[in-house]
Amino acid sequence: MSDALALPEVADPIEIEILRHEILSIPNQIERNIERSAFSPLVQEYKDYSVGLVDAEGALVAQSRGSLPIFVANALGTGVREALSVHGAENLRHGDAVLTNSPATLGQHLNNVVLLTPVREGGAANGPLLGFFCVLVHWIDVGGSTPGSCTGTETTDVWQEGLQLPCIRLIDQGRRLEDIFRLCAANSRFPRLLLGDLEAQLAGCLLGRDLMLAVMGRRGVALVRAALTTMRAQAKAAAAAVIAKARPGTHVAESFLDGEKGVRVPIRVAVRAEGGRVQVDLSGLGPQMAGPSNAGRNGGAVAAARIAAKYVLTPQEPVNQGDFDLLDVDVPDGTFLSASADAPIGGSGNTIPTAVDTILKALGEAMPGK
């Protein structure tokens, strides 16, 4: 956004606010639908999934309230950006649905699978692109060396951890590609549960798209686009107000993990708040591990910094890309939270929380009132 705090000029801000809540309600409705219709306890009881609307460039607009903290870091938008890079916006048409769990992009265990579908004006195949409706579900098993796929402790590369879905179409302009359904089922120890979850994921994705199209039909495209811009600007302004009160200087926090074979893995975090921005420096993270306690950059270092920032900057507000527009994350390649694309990452969810806690400690020194 060119102006850090500028809100779009609209004729009626009350209409914008009403529309904002209407948009926010859609992911929450889809979330409940998925909870009721999915097959596996990981979805029904553990709530290991996320639902949201992402704009045409991959920036998060709205996300369901029940998502786990790790998904606040915009796994949905990361999947959208990969789809845009692989297929191009012009080739993602109304009626398409794309699957991805790419470790190089998402950077989390392969069970976390994003399904996304374009939201185009009027539901036309190549109408102007408003954004994407997305649903992420932790699939119960995607093959690999151990049941559950992400539970093994002895994997040494990502190929030992299960099926990789390199941003492939599940639906092509409304036509189900049954070969892909069969491929996913054949690579799971629990095909019935997986396919039940996948059908719930797909139904939620398509219904969310249709509900957004209905809103655009009732409210008008111009007002919807204005609402999306306003939502991001408001979130950014709220974060900026907190950052403006931060203590200047560098604030450092340290901790460690009990790593593989008893080797201590250091976590050193430096937070700087200056120039109206917050920088989280993670160059003090320990190196990539031989086993599965790693994560990729987006799903690891960036996710940890965003989770911590959300807790401190705008914890009571619906999550939006604007929450993170003033956040910079610096991390070199090759740490355990910026691991290479071939690294084992099954245990990514086990190590990220300690990094989040350490970032929170440093942020707490910069913003003690928070």
Side-chain angles (χ1 to χ4, degrees):
M1 301 173 69
S2 57
D3 187 331
L5 300 178
L7 300 179
E9 294 183 4
V10 295
D12 189 347
I14 295 176
E15 283 295 316
I16 289 287
E17 184 64 10
I18 293 170
L19 180 54
R20 181 176 81 92
H21 284 277
E22 192 169 3
I23 292 169
L24 289 170
S25 73
I26 293 175
N28 293 319
Q29 176 182 334
I30 300 304
E31 177 189 275
R32 296 307 300 273
N33 289 353
I34 292 172
E35 178 186 321
R36 288 191 293 263
S37 58
F39 281 29
S40 80
L42 283 174
V43 179
Q44 289 187 335
E45 299 180 23
Y46 188 61
K47 319 301 183 192
D48 203 343
Y49 61 99
S50 178
V51 181
L53 176 67
V54 175
D55 76 10
E57 296 179 351
L60 185 64
V61 173
Q63 188 164 306
S64 55
R65 285 193 299 264
S67 301
L68 298 180
I70 189 65
F71 302 138
V72 169
N74 200 18
L76 303 180
T78 303
V80 165
R81 289 193 296 273
E82 182 189 21
L84 291 169
S85 175
V86 170
H87 296 286
E90 69 280 1
N91 295 316
L92 294 167
R93 299 152 298 193
H94 177 77
D96 287 354
V98 173
L99 282 171
T100 180
N101 68 350
S102 172
T105 305
L106 296 182
Q108 297 174 8
H109 48 225
L110 298 177
N111 301 71
N112 287 352
V113 181
V114 175
L115 181 64
L116 59 98
T117 190
V119 180
R120 292 188 175 274
E121 292 180 18
N126 290 107
L129 182 63
L130 178 79
F132 297 83
F133 204 85
C134 312
V135 178
L136 182 156
V137 169
H138 178 114
W139 288 7
I140 191 166
D141 182 273
V142 291
S145 61
T146 58
S149 306
C150 62
T151 59
T153 59
E154 298 182 354
T155 55
T156 56
D157 63 50
V158 72
W159 291 280
Q160 298 170 16
E161 296 180 339
L163 176 67
Q164 295 184 46
L165 300 163
C167 214
I168 58 174
R169 279 184 174 83
L170 182 70
I171 308 291
D172 185 4
Q173 290 189 278
R175 182 174 64 90
R176 290 167 59 102
L177 303 180
E178 296 296 343
D179 288 351
I180 305 302
F181 287 85
R182 292 191 301 107
L183 175 70
C184 294
N187 280 276
S188 177
R189 295 173 177 86
F190 312 109
R192 178 179 172 275
L193 295 178
L194 186 148
L195 288 179
D197 286 357
L198 177 55
E199 293 289 2
Q201 186 177 12
L202 176 60
C205 204
L206 299 181
L207 179 57
R209 175 203 66 191
D210 292 345
L211 290 173
M212 274 305 304
L213 290 174
V215 169
M216 293 164 70
R218 289 195 308 272
R219 299 285 191 170
V221 174
L223 189 63
V224 171
R225 290 189 179 276
L228 300 194
T229 304
T230 299
M231 291 165 72
R232 183 167 179 176
Q234 288 175 336
K236 188 173 183 177
V242 176
I243 294 170
K245 299 176 183 178
R247 291 177 174 175
T250 300
H251 307 274
V252 176
E254 297 186 62
S255 63
F256 67 93
L257 293 167
D258 292 321
E260 299 158 356
K261 298 182 179 179
V263 176
R264 176 178 286 201
V265 179
I267 301 175
R268 185 180 189 276
V269 174
V271 167
R272 287 177 284 275
E274 55 189 14
R277 303 187 68 85
V278 172
Q279 179 191 36
V280 177
D281 183 351
L282 298 176
S283 57
L285 294 178
Q288 176 176 320
M289 299 183 227
S293 298
N294 301 295
R297 177 185 298 269
N298 289 323
V302 173
R306 287 191 172 203
I307 293 166
K310 182 60 179 172
Y311 277 130
V312 171
L313 298 179
T314 55
Q316 301 302 321
E317 299 299 321
V319 65
N320 180 280
Q321 175 60 36
D323 297 321
F324 313 114
D325 278 340
L326 301 175
L327 174 68
D328 301 310
V329 183
D330 295 329
V331 63
D333 293 337
T335 76
F336 74 92
L337 294 184
S338 58
S340 59
D342 60 349
I345 53 175
S348 58
N350 302 328
T351 55
I352 292 172
T354 302
V356 173
D357 286 347
T358 312
I359 298 168
L360 281 170
K361 184 177 179 182
L363 282 171
E365 294 180 5
M367 306 169 192
K370 292 289 180 176

